[in-house]
């Protein structure tokens, strides 16, 4: 099975040479000196490579077992979960008052990549808990925070999010789960939820479900939806566990991937629930959790691709097939290693340039979240709101593509289950679907985010790119290799946005038909900006006589590859967008 090594050097480069966190005025960032972040990254990387990664194949092979209403997780998961608990990793970026370490969200994101790359299915147990904590922190009462958060931060209890029902996924206004008010202020929750990740398991003593349901008086559609805490075991006033609540798993789904995570059908049969936040404001409250989850899923897109890339790189260096041209690279051997062949080199560079660019974009997104939450910066909040569907949709689409590319390098061996490459492909596939399928992310981007606040966020993005190009125009090498390609991509993005403004009102289908292309056009432009920023940092490091010059030279070469071979895709996406809706809608439904 493929091994995994956490890319600690690359993360440190982004933190300290690109984002320059210790120089940032964001509260808490001044404490993120290289020694502190280095120690955190090293320990997290060790846990990921030595404890979690060896269980990745075990979880895929064994899956979860459903026995008399109880879910048994794969061999070794309980011990690994205890190791995560003992290290306090779930609370790394959570408030100290509830038992967390209080570090910025940025550090939780950086560490989260390592855990996802090493074992995506396992990481979902604490990942969903982290999202549930965010919703309770933002909207729960003081009593709810005191009751649930310390145990959830410590992972004594885990959390879930319950949205989807058998008849509705994206269109949550159709949900049928009911909430009946009781005299004591609680509600009885009745209904069925499906596709609930970590809905039942044997890793924690309690599971805190966050459930969307309709209470009386809210009206039709999403206006009638409220958010409720529904614990697996009721909690007594002294914090001890009480009676079993009327919620149970009906079955676990047999899935294409993430076999190590229990994806459950959850049945609520008059279960006791407690309102979170205001009545009939459940969608707003749930989206606190959804937005964090979507950034986390965007991270999954490149994190699985990173693990697959490492495996394909090792194979390309070891596997001997064919001869290099114009002459053998290893004449003493019967064949040359795969990595000498230009097409294999292309496949590796596609992966490497995507993963490193996506890592930079995700960490920048996490920095924007910190800036918004820790300083009240409204512009940062608007920018990350704009970028969230791009990070989620583009990175999971391309992350899956890169997992397939990695598998392809292995050839026939990549198609054999025991080699582990197919697991990366199968696991990566779900990230394109859950937390809002990528088509929905594209529609959200085009239909809502572009026009938000009169278009100010997207105009701020354009100005940011323009300002960066102008600021660095004096560096000829940077201008030639990075700034000029970025300028062209930005112009394509502006032209696409202008097309939607000119045609969207009179022909909404024109915008909707181009939504996915716009999401990818925007994603490529974002990665172009990230590569330009990284190139600037590496150029400065080389000029200052950096000891690890090889790292920076490699970074520049990888960036040049992305700008030359990937970023021109923006022109293709623009051409598709400008073709309008006619080619897409030409056939009547009965003609298919």
């Amino acid at each position: 099975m493929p091994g995994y090594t956490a890319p600690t050097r690359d993360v440190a480069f982004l933190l300290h040479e690109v984002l320059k966190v210790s120089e940032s005025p964001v509260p808490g960032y001044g404490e993120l000196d290289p020694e502190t972040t280095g120690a955190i990254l090293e320990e997290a990387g060790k846990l990921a490579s030595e404890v979690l990664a060896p269980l990745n194949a075990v979880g895929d092979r064994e899956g979860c077992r459903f026995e008399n209403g109880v879910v048994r997780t794969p061999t070794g998961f309980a011990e690994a979960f205890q190791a995560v608990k003992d290290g306090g990793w779930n609370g790394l970026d959570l408030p100290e008052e509830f038992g967390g370490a209080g570090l910025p969200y940025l550090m939780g994101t950086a560490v989260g990549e390592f855990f996802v790359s090493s074992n995506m299915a396992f990481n979902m147990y604490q990942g969903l808990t982290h999202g549930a904590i965010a919703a309770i922190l933002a909207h729960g009462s003081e009593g709810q925070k005191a009751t649930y958060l310390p145990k959830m931060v410590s992972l004594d209890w885990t959390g879930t999010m319950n949205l989807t029902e058998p008849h509705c996924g994206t269109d949550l206004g159709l949900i049928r789960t009911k909430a009946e008010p009781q005299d004591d202020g609680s509600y009885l929750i009745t209904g069925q939820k499906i596709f609930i990740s970590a809905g039942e398991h044997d890793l924690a003593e309690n599971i805190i479900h966050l459930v969307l349901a309709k209470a009386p008086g809210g009206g039709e559609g999403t206006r009638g939806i409220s958010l409720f805490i529904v614990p697996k075991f009721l909690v007594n006033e002294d914090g001890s566990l009480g009676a079993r609540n009327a919620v149970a798993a009906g079955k676990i789904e047999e899935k294409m991937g993430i076999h190590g995570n229990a994806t459950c059908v959850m049945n609520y049969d008059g279960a006791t629930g407690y309102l979170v936040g205001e009545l009939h404001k459940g969608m707003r409250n749930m989206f606190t959790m959804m937005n964090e989850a979507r950034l986390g899923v965007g991270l999954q897109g490149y994190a699985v691709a990173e693990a697959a890339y490492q495996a394909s790189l090792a194979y390309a260096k070891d596997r001997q097939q064919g001869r290099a041209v114009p002459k053998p690279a290893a004449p003493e051997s019967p064949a040359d290693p795969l990595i000498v062949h230009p097409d294999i080199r292309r496949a590796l560079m596609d992966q490497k340039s995507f993963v490193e660019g996506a890592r930079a974009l995700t960490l920048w997104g996490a920095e924007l979240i910190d800036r918004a939450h820790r300083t009240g910066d409204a512009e940062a909040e608007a920018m990350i709101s704009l970028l969230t569907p791009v990070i989620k949709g583009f990175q999971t689409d391309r992350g899956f593509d890169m997992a397939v590319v990695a598998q392809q390098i292995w050839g026939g061996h990549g198609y054999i289950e025991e080699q582990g490459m197919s697991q990366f492909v199968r696991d990566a596939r779900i990230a394109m679907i859950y937390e809002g399928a990528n088509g929905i992310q594209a529609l959200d981007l085009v239909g809502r985010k572009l026009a938000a606040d009169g278009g100010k966020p997207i105009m701020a993005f354009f100005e940011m790119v323009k300002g960066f190009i102008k600021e660095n125009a004096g560096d000829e090498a940077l201008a030639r290799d990075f700034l000029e390609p970025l300028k062209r991509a930005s112009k394509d993005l502006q032209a696409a946005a202008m097309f939607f403004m000119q045609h969207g009102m009179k022909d909404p289908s024109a915008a909707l038909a181009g939504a996915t292309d716009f999401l990818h056009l925007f994603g490529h432009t974002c990665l172009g900006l990230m590569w330009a920023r990284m190139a600037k940092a590496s150029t400065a490091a080389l000029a200052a006589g950096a000891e690890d010059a090889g790292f920076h030279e490699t970074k520049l070469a990888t960036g040049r590859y992305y700008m030359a071979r990937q970023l021109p895709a923006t022109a293709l996406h623009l051409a598709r967008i400008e073709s309008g809706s006619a080619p897409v809608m030409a056939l009547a439904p009965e003609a298919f």
Side-chain angles (χ1 to χ4, degrees):
M1 285 300 298
Y4 169 73
T5 301
T8 54
R9 175 65 184 94
D10 201 52
V11 173
F13 165 72
L14 292 171
L15 293 178
H16 298 291
E17 299 177 67
V18 179
L19 296 175
K20 299 183 178 179
V21 292
S22 57
E23 301 174 20
S24 170
V26 175
Y29 273 42
E31 302 170 12
L32 301 181
D33 57 87
E35 184 177 354
T36 299
T37 60
I40 293 170
L41 296 175
E42 181 181 357
E43 287 303 311
K46 187 183 300 183
L47 177 64
S49 62
E50 296 178 5
V51 178
L52 304 186
L55 295 175
N56 198 35
V58 175
D60 186 58
R61 183 174 62 251
E62 292 186 8
C64 295
R65 306 189 311 278
F66 191 59
E67 301 172 348
N68 299 319
V70 177
V71 172
R72 306 295 184 191
T73 52
T75 302
F77 271 41
E79 293 79 7
F81 196 76
Q82 187 62 50
V84 172
K85 287 178 62 176
D86 291 344
W89 291 107
N90 187 56
L92 186 69
D93 56 353
L94 294 172
E96 293 179 87
E97 63 182 297
F98 300 114
L103 291 178
Y105 178 71
L106 175 65
M107 289 307 300
T109 303
V111 165
E113 178 195 329
F114 301 168
F115 294 165
V116 172
S117 289
S118 59
N119 198 324
M120 175 176 165
F122 173 87
N123 188 68
M124 290 172 66
Y125 291 100
Q126 61 263 26
L128 269 295
T129 304
H130 200 283
I133 289 170
I136 296 173
L137 270 173
H139 303 291
S141 67
E142 293 305 312
Q144 288 171 341
K145 293 175 186 178
T147 298
Y148 298 104
L149 292 186
K151 291 286 191 179
M152 296 175 74
V153 170
S154 68
L155 289 181
D156 289 332
W157 301 350
T158 60
T160 70
M161 52 196 297
N162 287 237
L163 291 79
T164 306
E165 299 184 6
H167 61 284
C168 69
T170 300
D171 193 354
L172 291 172
L174 299 175
I175 68 171
R176 297 171 184 161
T177 300
K178 300 296 183 184
E180 301 175 23
Q182 303 300 295
D183 292 341
D184 63 359
S186 67
Y187 289 76
L188 295 184
I189 311 299
T190 301
Q192 185 180 78
K193 299 289 185 177
I194 64 170
F195 306 156
I196 308 306
S197 300
E200 174 61 38
H201 56 80
D202 57 2
L203 300 178
E205 60 187 20
N206 203 5
I207 302 175
I208 310 305
H209 303 289
L210 291 187
V211 184
L212 287 183
K214 287 190 173 182
E220 296 298 319
T222 58
R223 292 173 297 173
I225 294 176
S226 300
L227 180 63
F228 300 89
I229 289 174
V230 186
K232 175 181 174 180
F233 288 97
L234 298 174
V235 182
N236 297 322
E237 289 187 8
D238 63 359
S240 63
L241 296 185
R244 174 69 189 258
N245 208 353
V247 53
K251 70 170 185 175
I252 55 176
E253 304 286 1
E254 295 185 15
K255 310 183 298 295
M256 175 180 174
I258 54 170
H259 295 155
N261 194 268
T263 304
C264 300
V265 173
M266 301 301 299
N267 296 319
Y268 295 84
D269 188 16
T272 298
Y274 307 97
L275 179 67
V276 178
E278 296 179 51
L279 192 64
H280 310 313
K281 300 294 184 183
M283 287 297 292
R284 182 193 66 185
N285 298 346
M286 179 63 87
F287 268 94
T288 298
M289 185 163 56
M290 288 286 285
N291 287 333
E292 178 179 316
R294 284 172 175 170
L295 190 76
V297 173
L299 181 150
Q300 288 178 340
Y302 81 82
V304 174
E306 165 70 32
Y309 164 68
Q310 289 189 19
S312 68
L313 175 60
Y315 189 78
K317 289 181 175 180
D318 181 69
R319 177 73 167 176
Q320 295 184 341
Q321 293 281 285
R323 285 296 190 188
V325 292
K327 62 180 181 179
E332 72 285 356
S333 300
D336 289 332
L338 284 173
I339 199 167
V340 304
H341 302 300
D343 195 57
I344 296 295
R345 211 63 84 79
R346 172 200 58 79
L348 291 169
M349 289 295 281
D350 279 351
Q351 295 174 75
K352 180 176 174 62
S353 63
F354 163 73
V355 166
E356 293 180 16
R359 177 180 295 122
L361 178 58
T362 302
L363 292 182
W364 177 45
E367 187 265 345
L368 288 171
I369 289 176
D370 278 330
R371 213 188 314 161
H373 291 177
R374 292 180 171 235
T375 71
D377 187 332
E379 293 182 0
E381 181 72 44
M383 185 61 69
I384 190 56
S385 180
L386 172 69
L387 294 176
T388 293
V390 180
I391 292 172
K392 194 282 183 185
F394 175 73
Q395 290 186 181
T396 58
D397 277 351
R398 294 297 291 156
F400 175 77
D401 291 345
M402 294 303 101
V404 172
V405 169
Q407 183 188 37
Q408 184 74 15
I409 287 176
W410 280 66
H413 292 285
Y415 200 66
I416 303 301
E417 288 291 344
E418 68 182 86
Q419 303 299 338
M421 297 307 294
S422 69
Q423 183 187 351
F424 295 131
V425 174
R426 290 184 284 103
D427 285 355
R429 186 64 182 88
I430 186 57
M432 302 163 69
I433 298 172
Y434 62 14
E435 308 303 343
N438 285 355
I440 300 300
Q441 301 299 320
L443 295 179
D444 177 53
L445 175 63
V446 169
R448 294 178 63 246
K449 300 299 174 64
L450 280 185
D453 195 18
K456 287 182 180 178
I458 187 66
M459 293 306 297
F461 180 84
F462 291 142
E463 286 301 313
M464 182 191 310
V465 173
K466 181 179 178 181
F468 181 86
I469 292 172
K470 183 177 181 180
E471 175 188 336
N472 296 284
D475 185 324
E476 292 185 10
L478 193 67
R480 180 187 65 248
D481 296 337
F482 292 92
L483 303 185
E484 286 301 322
L486 176 59
K487 184 187 294 185
R488 289 193 293 270
S490 182
K491 287 182 177 179
D492 288 342
L493 185 63
Q494 292 177 60
M498 183 61 67
F499 177 85
F500 290 152
M501 291 176 61
Q502 293 173 342
H503 299 274
M505 292 297 292
K506 58 184 177 182
D507 182 14
S509 293
L512 300 180
T516 292
D517 278 294
F518 186 82
L519 183 141
H520 278 252
L521 198 169
F522 203 162
H524 278 298
T525 305
C526 285
L527 261 63
L529 176 60
M530 294 301 103
W531 272 114
R533 287 178 173 176
M534 288 188 282
K536 178 180 178 180
S538 282
T539 299
L542 289 171
E547 293 182 3
D548 53 349
F551 172 88
H552 295 288
E553 290 166 354
T554 298
K555 184 66 68 176
L556 287 168
T558 306
R560 292 188 192 101
Y561 179 89
Y562 192 88
M563 306 308 271
R565 299 277 301 207
Q566 293 294 321
L567 197 55
T570 60
L572 169 64
H573 291 301
L574 175 60
R576 289 173 174 170
I577 289 167
E578 292 180 336
S579 73
S581 63
V584 176
M585 305 300 289
L587 292 182
E590 59 271 16
F592 282 89

